[in-house]
Amino acid sequence: MLLQHILSPRKEREDTVKSTIPKEIYGQLWIENMHFLMDKNVFDISYQNLLWSALQTIEKTGSNGLRALKLGTFYFVNFLSRSKERQNLKIWAEYLKSMFDEQIEGCVWFMDYLIVNDDILTDLLFSCYIEEVRDTFVSLVEFVFKTLRTRDQLEYGNTDDNVLDENTRIARFIKNLAIMSQVAYRYWRVFDQYFELVFKLSELGQLEKFWIKETGFLANMIDLYLGDLSVIRMKDRPRMGDKFTVPNFSNLIRAVKSVVVGCQIVDEPTESDNPNFPLSLGERELMLLFFGMKRTRNFAFFVKQIREKTALDATADLIVHCSTMSESRSEGFAVMILREMANSQYDSGGICLTLLCAFMSIDDELLSWRVEMTFNKMIE
């Protein structure tokens, strides 16, 4: 029987296989096998070298340059970033940057591509466990956005009459990032580059800060960092970290600092008349910044940073900004810093001293009062 099967015509054997396997399953297996063979070729180092050589022979400007840029970027995002043969990853990224520098249309295309295919952000910033890939991707996105923002603000999201439109590219992109923050806790081992991208976007200007605040992204980041300490109560709040590893929140804190420092802080949020601070924090952001889980003004957000020694340069900037021209917040920060300085459990004496120096050096109308008040608190 075996010999007969082997010697029988190939067509007859295929018909036998088809007759024993349901048509739907057979068709799906056939498609998957074809995709496997195609992927095997695309991921092959020979194909990578061929494509690299082709990109370098095409002029960067013009319609051919734009097509080459799209092809190279598509390969970089979907294949090279997932390939085992990624020793040239950074070289590719730098060459793509040089192409984007010559192609503003390419920058517009890439921004649209990331907005429409938002799963790419999840794949490369959350699901990817290779730090080099995440770093390189963030660097490329930052370059493209900064280039487009500088050379064509209308395409980027700045309108002529400064009307803030949620349908602009930057608004839609930040909204996608904000949605991702709702599941960021699942990827606490790798989300540092995700928050690095948010931080770098916030540093571009007030427009980005506005959308990070307006979409609720700022509040989400503060709440995520506080966890069980948050004033927002959540049943069965997911936990991050394990016995040996804690999440890296450094870039999250820097992103929060960048946005908050760009906002006016008033006890009762109103429309800001201060041209230096066209944005103001809302009630939800203020509650998260200054209040704890029992809705008491205990500055839990800052206490946690001191105890965990997280991005203390950003912590100092936040304390300075929040204390400026505010007696009530200044007094609260003074009490909090002195209390943590006396708390030997967390070995935060040196950190608190540095923060206290920055706090007492705030150059505003309350400088003398703040110094005197702090010394009085110290001797109480």
Side-chain angles (χ1 to χ4, degrees):
M1 291 291 293
L2 178 61
L3 183 61
Q4 180 182 359
H5 176 74
I6 295 174
L7 295 178
S8 63
R10 178 178 177 180
K11 181 67 171 59
E12 183 180 332
R13 295 202 306 271
E14 289 180 354
D15 292 339
T16 303
V17 172
K18 288 182 180 180
S19 63
T20 57
I21 300 177
K23 183 178 180 180
E24 294 79 7
I25 297 178
Y26 185 86
Q28 185 61 35
L29 287 174
W30 186 255
I31 293 172
E32 290 179 0
N33 286 335
M34 288 193 297
H35 285 170
F36 171 77
L37 292 175
M38 290 175 63
D39 288 346
K40 184 178 179 181
N41 291 330
V42 170
F43 283 106
D44 189 80
I45 188 64
S46 299
Y47 182 81
Q48 181 187 140
N49 292 337
L50 174 64
L51 189 56
W52 174 250
S53 300
L55 287 178
Q56 292 182 307
T57 59
I58 299 174
E59 183 69 30
K60 295 178 182 179
T61 57
S63 59
N64 288 336
L66 180 60
R67 283 194 289 268
L69 173 59
K70 291 180 179 180
L71 175 61
T73 305
F74 184 85
Y75 180 79
F76 173 86
V77 168
N78 294 284
F79 297 102
L80 185 59
S81 61
R82 295 168 168 81
S83 174
K84 294 181 179 179
E85 305 288 347
R86 55 176 175 274
Q87 60 270 22
N88 295 324
L89 187 74
K90 291 185 177 180
I91 298 175
W92 267 77
E94 291 304 314
Y95 191 75
L96 287 175
K97 288 178 184 179
S98 70
M99 297 181 75
F100 279 116
D101 196 41
E102 300 286 342
Q103 287 280 357
I104 294 302
E105 288 184 46
C107 295
V108 173
W109 166 80
F110 186 49
M111 203 168 180
D112 286 337
Y113 181 67
L114 293 179
I115 291 169
V116 174
N117 302 281
D118 54 352
D119 56 314
I120 291 174
L121 295 173
T122 302
D123 289 345
L124 294 183
L125 295 177
F126 281 170
S127 301
C128 176
Y129 275 76
I130 309 300
E131 184 176 356
E132 181 188 22
V133 172
R134 301 195 305 273
D135 281 334
T136 307
F137 176 69
V138 168
S139 175
L140 180 62
V141 173
E142 179 197 12
F143 178 86
V144 172
F145 279 39
K146 187 181 294 185
T147 300
L148 184 58
R149 191 186 199 278
T150 302
R151 300 186 188 176
D152 197 333
Q153 293 203 13
L154 283 176
E155 292 287 0
Y156 181 79
N158 262 341
T159 57
D160 286 331
D161 50 5
N162 290 322
V163 174
L164 295 166
D165 184 357
E166 64 180 9
N167 294 315
T168 56
R169 288 185 174 86
I170 186 58
R172 292 163 61 200
F173 183 78
I174 290 178
K175 183 178 179 181
N176 286 348
L177 287 178
I179 293 172
M180 289 172 62
S181 69
Q182 298 171 8
V183 296
Y185 66 88
R186 300 176 185 170
Y187 308 96
W188 61 268
R189 293 182 184 274
V190 298
F191 63 25
D192 185 46
Q193 284 73 27
Y194 163 69
F195 289 115
E196 180 185 4
L197 177 59
V198 180
F199 168 60
K200 289 183 174 181
L201 287 177
S202 69
E203 289 286 279
L204 293 179
Q206 288 294 99
L207 178 65
E208 291 77 9
K209 291 179 175 65
F210 172 83
W211 288 117
I212 291 173
K213 183 187 79 71
E214 189 69 13
T215 56
F217 198 176
L218 175 62
N220 288 352
M221 288 192 288
I222 300 173
D223 179 62
L224 177 69
Y225 177 69
L226 284 171
D228 290 335
L229 300 175
S230 175
V231 70
I232 299 175
R233 307 310 300 148
M234 182 185 299
K235 185 178 180 181
D236 300 325
R237 181 184 286 272
R239 297 183 179 276
M240 294 174 286
D242 56 30
K243 185 177 180 181
F244 305 102
T245 312
V246 295
N248 185 353
F249 285 114
S250 297
N251 281 314
L252 181 150
I253 298 300
R254 293 189 179 100
V256 170
K257 182 269 298 185
S258 179
V259 178
V260 170
V261 168
C263 297
Q264 185 180 27
I265 300 179
V266 291
D267 292 327
E268 294 184 3
T270 58
E271 291 294 328
S272 176
D273 295 324
N274 186 340
N276 295 320
F277 296 102
L279 305 179
S280 61
L281 295 181
E283 182 179 359
R284 188 164 182 252
E285 289 90 4
L286 291 172
M287 289 292 292
L288 285 162
L289 276 175
F290 303 124
F291 290 78
M293 58 182 177
K294 296 181 180 180
R295 306 185 79 83
T296 56
R297 190 168 176 170
N298 59 5
F299 298 90
F301 178 68
F302 300 90
V303 171
K304 187 178 182 188
Q305 293 172 56
I306 293 172
R307 293 180 178 180
E308 295 182 351
K309 304 175 177 60
T310 306
L312 295 170
D313 54 337
T315 306
D317 291 340
L318 277 167
I319 291 176
V320 168
H321 180 69
C322 294
S323 301
T324 301
M325 298 303 296
S326 172
E327 289 188 5
S328 62
R329 286 193 296 273
S330 291
E331 187 172 1
F333 276 116
V335 171
M336 182 271 292
I337 294 173
L338 292 173
R339 184 180 64 240
E340 289 303 308
M341 186 181 294
N343 190 342
S344 59
Q345 180 180 355
Y346 297 97
D347 190 26
S348 304
I351 294 170
C352 290
L353 186 60
T354 301
L355 295 177
L356 196 62
C357 290
F359 170 76
M360 295 176 67
S361 302
I362 300 173
D363 189 12
D364 63 357
E365 296 175 7
L366 301 177
L367 175 59
S368 300
W369 171 86
R370 190 178 291 108
V371 172
E372 182 180 356
M373 177 272 298
T374 303
F375 278 119
N376 288 336
K377 296 290 183 184
M378 292 175 69
I379 62 178
E380 284 182 359

